[in-house]
Amino acid sequence: MTRQNLMLLPLSTPKLSIGCPILDHCLGGGIPCNSITELVGESGSGKTQLCLQLTVRAQLPPSHGGLGGSSVYIFTEFSFSFRRLQQLGNLYHASYPNLIRLEPLEDIYVRGVHDAQELIHVLGDIEAFITIDHTRLPVKLIVIDSIATLFRSQYQTTPADLKRRSEMFFNISGTLKGLANKFGLAVVVTNQVVDFIGPHDGVNGVRLGNLESLDTSGRRVSPALGLAWAHCINSRVFLARHEQSIGVNIRNAPSTTICSQTHRTFHLVFAPHLAYASAEFVIRKEGLVGVSG
């Protein structure tokens, strides 16, 4: 086989479809397996909604954009959204009655963790769990929602603690990448944002990805956990939201009523071999749906 023919071969990495052609197009087909994809955004931006959506869609066969597998969902804050997941499961079962079982939550394994060290132990348990093959469907998706919560108060800003924190980043990401490559699964982690004050040429003068700055709700922000964590992931998606006030004329009302309208944008910040892409989206009962311009 010549070098030219090798370059023409299609990429063989399976991808998990979001279920929306517009958003899938931004990702070159969907969430890739064998790597770590980060969803970053402020609270209420749609990160958890998308994660829940992916855990149900993962059960679909590859011919329908899924991975034909079960999911492990690790949550680190608040309580897990079982009610929302059940709603999504019922919707997808109604749409794909012959492909998704009546109780899709039986193929989603949920675990809460409270600190980074506990996460390391849980990931070890997950590897044993997958190897022994206890599940009806093979595990094909791991979700961590959110990674930033695990480091919120455990580490200080001293040089020694920052070094320990970076080592933990690489430990966690190395374990996740090892699982992804060994079992051919997709890994999705969510991350939070922090306010950013500085020049418009990236973080500490270093531009990461396709955007010079991230803006949401009228604020300049940067992903939490800094550059050390950014080097641990393969792809980053930024979910932005902006509130816009609009005047609405209501019949028989004495004056115009001011209403707030939320605009949401899906940005591909960086990913291997993919150019910048973005799309407006809305959150509906079936999850995130892109809006064509």
Side-chain angles (χ1 to χ4, degrees):
M1 179 175 289
T2 67
R3 184 183 306 171
Q4 289 76 11
N5 289 337
L6 184 62
M7 293 177 65
L8 293 175
L9 285 175
L11 294 176
S12 59
T13 302
K15 293 191 175 182
L16 172 57
S17 168
I18 293 176
C20 169
I22 295 174
L23 300 183
D24 281 340
H25 177 73
C26 293
L27 294 168
I31 303 292
C33 292
N34 308 323
S35 66
I36 302 175
T37 300
E38 180 197 74
L39 308 177
V40 60
E42 66 174 305
S43 176
S45 61
K47 304 186 300 295
T48 297
Q49 290 287 334
L50 181 51
C51 288
L52 296 174
Q53 184 175 338
L54 291 171
T55 60
V56 180
R57 289 200 58 84
Q59 299 174 32
L60 290 169
S63 59
H64 287 70
L67 298 174
S70 59
S71 304
V72 175
Y73 198 114
I74 300 172
F75 68 97
T76 65
E77 59 181 344
F78 309 121
S79 57
F80 183 73
S81 304
F82 280 106
R83 180 178 298 180
R84 176 58 174 149
L85 182 58
Q86 183 69 65
Q87 181 186 38
L88 285 168
N90 293 339
L91 287 169
Y92 274 91
H93 172 71
S95 299
Y96 305 95
N98 298 320
L99 301 177
I100 291 184
R101 64 192 303 184
L102 182 60
E103 293 295 337
L105 270 64
E106 293 181 5
D107 289 311
I108 301 171
Y109 304 90
V110 180
R111 173 68 185 267
V113 301
H114 300 93
D115 58 57
Q117 196 61 53
E118 184 182 6
L119 176 60
I120 291 294
H121 290 307
V122 168
L123 293 178
D125 293 341
I126 289 173
E127 180 169 11
F129 180 70
I130 297 174
T131 302
I132 296 173
D133 194 21
H134 275 313
T135 61
R136 185 183 72 91
L137 296 173
V139 174
K140 286 296 178 182
L141 172 66
I142 295 176
V143 173
I144 301 176
D145 183 20
S146 81
I147 192 70
T149 303
L150 301 177
F151 297 92
R152 181 176 293 162
S153 58
Q154 187 175 357
Y155 296 91
Q156 304 300 317
T157 56
T158 63
D161 259 16
L162 290 175
K163 181 176 183 293
R164 288 176 51 238
R165 191 180 78 153
S166 294
E167 290 172 349
M168 185 61 75
F169 289 166
F170 289 110
N171 192 354
I172 291 172
S173 64
T175 303
L176 288 171
K177 289 176 182 177
L179 290 171
N181 288 314
K182 183 176 181 179
F183 299 105
L185 50 82
V187 176
V188 175
V189 300
T190 69
N191 193 5
Q192 300 162 358
V193 295
V194 295
D195 289 322
F196 177 70
I197 301 175
H200 284 270
D201 56 350
V203 180
N204 295 332
V206 179
R207 173 171 169 163
L208 275 180
N210 299 302
L211 298 176
E212 290 185 354
S213 63
L214 307 181
D215 299 280
T216 184
S217 294
R219 303 152 48 207
R220 284 191 66 207
V221 298
S222 63
L225 306 184
L227 291 173
W229 173 252
H231 291 298
C232 292
I233 58 177
N234 302 103
S235 306
R236 169 171 281 165
V237 172
F238 174 51
L239 303 180
R241 55 175 290 173
H242 299 281
E243 301 292 334
Q244 180 181 14
S245 297
I246 58 173
V248 178
N249 293 316
I250 300 177
R251 189 176 181 181
N252 299 325
S255 60
T256 300
T257 300
I258 304 299
C259 297
S260 179
Q261 188 176 50
T262 302
H263 292 271
R264 304 176 186 273
T265 311
F266 182 105
H267 297 275
L268 179 66
V269 181
F270 61 79
H273 315 300
L274 291 178
Y276 169 72
S278 68
E280 299 290 321
F281 71 92
V282 295
I283 299 178
R284 296 177 179 163
K285 63 180 181 179
E286 65 269 29
L288 271 64
V289 178
V291 179
S292 58

